Amino acid sequence: MAVLRDLHEEGTRVEYRFISRIPGENEGCQIHFKFFKADHLIYDLNFGWTNLTIRNYIRVKTEFPLDRLNSFSLNGLFMSFEKHLYQLDWKETDTAGSYQLGFYGSEQDFNLTADIESVRRFGSEFKLDWDQAPLTTE
C-alpha cells in the first residue's frame, strides 16, 4: 500500500491500495483510496483509473515536482479525465523543498503538505503496488 503522510499534521495521510489490474494500454485498475485527517477517516473510496492515468500519475509523483509531462507544461497542476481524483496541484511552501498538495475529485477535496523526497518515495511505492496488483481479465 502506498502512503503519503503530511509533514506537519500527525495522522494526516492518503493511502492507495490496488484491488485489481487489467494489463494493456487501454485498460485500467480498481483502487481503494483512503484519506485520514488526524487519524480520522474522511474519505474511503473504491474507484477505477485507466492505465494511462496511472502511468502519468506515477511519473508526476516519482519525478516530483515535474515541469512537463508528455510535452505539456504542468505549472504545478496535473489533471486527468477520470471522475475520481482527477486533479492534483502543488505549490511550494515557505519551507524549502516542501509543497502544499491539493487533491480534487467529484466526491473529495483535501490538502496535505509533503516534501519532495516523500512525494517521490510515494510515487515509487505506488508504482510497485501497481506492478504487483492482482491481475484480472474483466
Side-chain angles (χ1 to χ4, degrees):
M1 172 179 6
V3 178
L4 181 60
R5 299 179 192 289
D6 191 280
L7 279 175
H8 308 296
E9 293 182 29
E10 185 71 30
T12 297
R13 66 191 180 277
V14 295
E15 298 177 353
Y16 291 80
R17 181 180 57 82
F18 283 89
I19 299 167
S20 64
R21 171 173 62 105
I22 303 173
E25 191 68 25
N26 299 313
E27 301 300 339
C29 297
Q30 288 294 309
I31 301 168
H32 186 193
F33 165 84
K34 293 181 181 181
F35 172 69
F36 295 86
K37 182 124 177 121
D39 288 324
H40 289 85
L41 182 62
I42 305 297
Y43 299 114
D44 187 359
L45 177 69
N46 287 336
F47 65 94
W49 267 358
T50 63
N51 290 336
L52 174 64
T53 296
I54 292 168
R55 274 190 297 280
N56 286 336
Y57 192 73
I58 288 168
R59 183 151 178 238
V60 166
K61 294 294 190 173
T62 57
E63 298 177 33
F64 187 83
L66 192 62
D67 293 326
R68 299 187 72 75
L69 177 68
N70 303 326
S71 76
F72 292 101
S73 178
L74 294 178
N75 293 321
L77 175 66
F78 169 74
M79 293 186 70
S80 74
F81 52 85
E82 307 288 356
K83 176 180 176 184
H84 299 286
L85 295 175
Y86 58 79
Q87 179 177 319
L88 169 70
D89 65 28
W90 56 92
K91 295 174 186 71
E92 194 163 10
T93 67
D94 293 336
T95 305
S98 175
Y99 288 80
Q100 182 72 33
L101 304 173
F103 296 78
Y104 305 95
S106 63
E107 298 175 25
Q108 61 286 317
D109 295 338
F110 61 91
N111 295 294
L112 62 79
T113 303
D115 61 33
I116 292 170
E117 287 309 311
S118 295
V119 175
R120 289 178 179 176
R121 188 171 38 256
F122 167 80
S124 295
E125 291 170 2
F126 188 85
K127 180 175 185 328
L128 181 63
D129 287 351
W130 181 46
D131 291 342
Q132 297 175 349
L135 293 176
T136 184
T137 56
E138 301 175 5

